[in-house]
Amino acid sequence: MMQRLLRSPLLRNLAAVTSGTAAAQVIVLAFSPLITRIYTPETFGIQGVFLGVVSICAPIAALRYPMAIVVADSEAEVRDLVRLCIYLAGIVSGIVALLLLGFREPFAILMGIGELGLLVWFLPVALFFTALQDIMDFRAARYGVFRLIGFVAVAQSFLTNLARILGGLVTPAAIVLVAVSALAPFMQAVLLRIGIGKHLRTMPSSTSPSGMNLLKAHSDFPLYRMPTDVLNAASQSVPVILLAALFSPVAAGLYTLTRSVLNLPSNLIGNAMGNVLYVRFAELAREGKALAPLLLKTTAALSALAPAIVGAAWFSPAIFAFVFGEEWREAGYYARWMSLWIAMMIINVPVTRSIPVIGRQNLLLGFNLLLLIVRSLSILSAYSLSGSALTAIVWFSVSSSIMIALSILAFTWCVVDFDRKRKEIANG
């Protein structure tokens, strides 16, 4: 049994990606004490607002068509999807640039990002480069080059954080953090493109649907997955944007650092394990096999991590003050409560990766819309009743945890029902 488990391709792929991603997170931790002593919480807050806007707009850049690369029927279809995604990203980024050219101030007020000022011009650049990164990420996942993905994560983490420190030594201003954040996805895309070059040359030639047929064949991604991811990103970015607008950029900066630290396990499992599971779920579906056993096993395994994450976060105030500096102690109190939400996000990884495979992205869209409303109301209510940023974080974290727990139960039932219906059809 153990030998069969060790020979499992899924386990080997998980180990290849997670080891690289873990090393990248160690690099982030190693650089963080230096970065937090160079930049102020207010500067971190401006970077957090920028990253929040990028995460909200990024799914729109290529309309989530990069995800279709994993489930494409042929290599020719993959190549056409890549070209389609690049065209879409260029068009969307150009439209954003034109909007900023004519309506920069109204746009900033509408998005609640007045703190960015002229730094908002980095937005169209970041959107285009993020789309390129998505394309390369999913293409590398399709080819199964998970060791390459892990290596690139390490290289990008080192180079990005080194750039933040060197730039901060010259001028510890928000423009450095924002510029590095905008250019980092391009670096990852280039490294992945170089790494998968040999796979591109050896793939057999074949025909694929026309451009319009491709758009129709994978229309569920722009119709459901794109707005779903926009809503999900908006619900996750609501705190940093509202904290900056309602309280201060300092509160937003404290939240930004806390989320970056607590996101280390989330990134490790979400980005690394998530893509591997997505590929495996797609393979099981194509082979006519059940998805629920893998979903239940991985969800149960991740649930075992929750007590450790929440327990460790209890000591965050002292740890944050020691590691990052005394002015960051308050961020540790944020971490105590945000760990509940982060733990639930980790447990939620397998089920969210199964949803596109079973074709229920419409339900995920509805859930993320509801989640955005609940999260926004939690922060606005806390501001109205207490005026405390910490209270807003508490209400946000608890409401998010409850909502995600309910979604796990609901979507797991959807996967089980999907397997049942396919079995009934197969049995006639």
Side-chain angles (χ1 to χ4, degrees):
M1 178 70 176
M2 181 60 65
Q3 291 181 347
R4 186 167 65 253
L5 181 62
L6 293 175
R7 290 196 299 267
S8 168
L10 176 63
L11 186 61
R12 288 199 302 269
N13 292 338
L14 287 173
V17 182
T18 54
S19 60
T21 308
Q25 304 306 324
V26 170
I27 291 173
V28 172
L29 281 177
F31 276 101
S32 291
L34 296 175
I35 294 175
T36 54
R37 284 168 171 81
I38 294 174
Y39 300 97
T40 65
E42 182 177 3
T43 304
F44 259 82
I46 294 174
Q47 177 196 227
V49 172
F50 176 77
L51 290 175
V53 176
V54 171
S55 67
I56 292 171
C57 299
I60 302 174
L63 305 182
R64 255 353 199 162
Y65 276 110
M67 291 191 72
I69 291 172
V70 174
V71 295
D73 292 330
S74 67
E75 179 59 19
E77 185 174 335
V78 169
R79 289 194 296 266
D80 288 344
L81 278 169
V82 168
R83 284 193 291 268
L84 174 66
C85 292
I86 293 175
Y87 294 153
L88 288 172
I91 292 170
V92 171
S93 300
I95 292 174
V96 172
L98 290 174
L99 287 174
L100 292 178
L101 186 63
F103 310 98
R104 181 173 65 84
E105 291 187 5
F107 178 81
I109 294 173
L110 177 65
M111 295 291 292
I113 54 174
E115 297 83 1
L116 287 179
L118 293 176
L119 296 180
V120 75
W121 281 105
F122 282 99
L123 179 59
V125 177
L127 291 179
F128 184 75
F129 288 162
T130 301
L132 294 183
Q133 177 187 317
D134 280 347
I135 293 168
M136 290 299 106
D137 278 343
F138 286 110
R139 201 166 192 185
R142 178 184 175 88
Y143 299 152
V145 287
F146 295 104
R147 286 187 179 180
L148 170 67
I149 295 173
F151 171 79
V152 168
V154 173
Q156 193 233 30
S157 178
F158 177 81
L159 294 174
T160 299
N161 285 283
L162 180 62
R164 290 188 175 114
I165 289 179
L166 295 179
L169 293 176
V170 175
T171 173
I175 188 173
V176 176
L177 294 178
V178 171
V180 171
S181 298
L183 298 175
F186 178 70
M187 183 192 312
Q188 182 165 337
V190 170
L191 292 175
L192 285 172
R193 176 60 180 81
I194 294 172
I196 65 174
K198 64 179 181 180
H199 296 272
L200 302 182
R201 289 191 295 269
T202 58
M203 287 295 174
S205 60
S206 57
T207 59
S208 72
S210 64
M212 288 303 299
N213 287 335
L214 269 182
L215 291 173
K216 294 178 181 178
H218 301 287
S219 60
D220 57 324
F221 288 97
L223 288 177
Y224 299 116
R225 189 68 189 207
M226 185 268 289
T228 294
D229 287 350
V230 168
L231 290 172
N232 184 48
S235 65
Q236 293 191 45
S237 301
V238 155
V240 69
I241 295 175
L242 289 183
L243 285 172
L246 300 177
F247 299 95
S248 69
V250 173
L254 295 173
Y255 171 84
T256 299
L257 176 68
T258 306
R259 192 174 72 172
S260 68
V261 173
L262 292 181
N263 268 350
L264 296 181
S266 178
N267 290 338
L268 174 63
I269 296 171
N271 296 337
M273 185 178 185
N275 283 345
V276 175
L277 286 176
Y278 181 38
V279 172
R280 184 54 184 155
F281 281 132
E283 290 174 349
L284 290 173
R286 286 194 292 266
E287 295 168 2
K289 297 179 180 178
L291 279 62
L294 176 61
L295 173 62
L296 295 174
K297 288 179 183 177
T298 51
T299 301
L302 294 178
S303 299
L305 300 177
I309 294 172
V310 176
W314 182 257
F315 304 97
S316 295
I319 294 174
F320 273 55
F322 175 76
V323 175
F324 305 118
E326 186 61 34
E327 64 181 336
W328 297 95
R329 178 181 292 272
E330 182 69 13
Y333 292 104
Y334 288 16
R336 284 181 172 178
W337 292 96
M338 289 171 61
S339 63
L340 298 172
W341 160 46
I342 298 298
M344 292 308 304
M345 283 179 57
I346 291 174
I347 299 171
N348 194 40
V349 168
V351 73
T352 56
R353 293 300 186 175
S354 67
I355 293 301
V357 178
I358 67 172
R360 300 305 299 270
Q361 298 192 87
N362 57 332
L363 295 180
L364 192 59
L365 171 60
F367 166 75
N368 278 282
L369 176 59
L370 181 60
L371 182 62
L372 174 59
I373 295 172
V374 170
R375 284 175 163 175
S376 300
L377 289 177
S378 68
I379 294 178
L380 292 171
S381 299
Y383 171 74
S384 175
L385 296 175
S386 73
S388 166
L390 179 58
T391 301
I393 294 298
V394 173
W395 290 22
F396 171 86
S397 300
V398 172
S399 62
S400 297
S401 301
I402 294 172
M403 291 294 295
I404 294 173
L406 293 175
S407 75
I408 292 172
L409 295 175
F411 292 132
T412 298
W413 181 87
C414 290
V415 173
V416 172
D417 187 58
F418 173 81
D419 288 342
R420 179 184 60 80
K421 289 179 178 178
R422 286 206 309 169
K423 185 176 180 181
E424 290 177 352
I425 293 173
N427 294 335

